[in-house]
Amino acid sequence: MKTKQWSVQINIGEDGKNTHVRATLTTMNGMMIEGSGHARRNPRDRAVPEIGDELAAGRALIDLGHRLVQLANADIAESVAGH
């Protein structure tokens, strides 16, 4: 069995009560796909930055997953059309 390795980099930016995350997947051939996620702390909530990081990162990874599935679907459609 051949093993492949893809890398995901998570970049987190915080601005007061807002957290923004960019998740970038890089494949072995250098293709890059990005997902993004955001979280906003309710002003009544206690400031716990880790919670915003976790929410925004999770949302960015979900977005990245959706983009990967869309890319795969487009590749399948192209493959079928070209067959």
Side-chain angles (χ1 to χ4, degrees):
M1 180 169 85
K2 182 179 179 182
T3 301
K4 298 178 184 181
Q5 182 174 347
W6 292 358
S7 299
V8 176
Q9 183 172 355
I10 305 288
N11 294 302
I12 303 171
E14 294 176 330
D15 177 18
K17 60 186 174 199
N18 295 299
T19 304
H20 306 279
V21 171
R22 177 174 298 150
T24 305
L25 179 140
T26 306
T27 66
M28 289 176 57
N29 66 1
M31 180 176 65
M32 297 175 79
I33 304 164
E34 291 186 351
S36 63
H38 307 280
R40 193 178 112 224
R41 182 176 53 86
N42 186 314
R44 296 179 304 221
D45 291 343
R46 204 167 47 97
V48 182
E50 294 81 15
I51 294 172
D53 294 351
E54 293 164 351
L55 280 172
R59 290 170 178 162
L61 290 168
I62 289 168
D63 183 45
L64 178 61
H66 288 157
R67 291 174 189 268
L68 279 169
V69 170
Q70 289 173 347
L71 180 61
N73 286 334
D75 288 346
I76 291 167
E78 185 178 309
S79 176
V80 170
H83 191 308

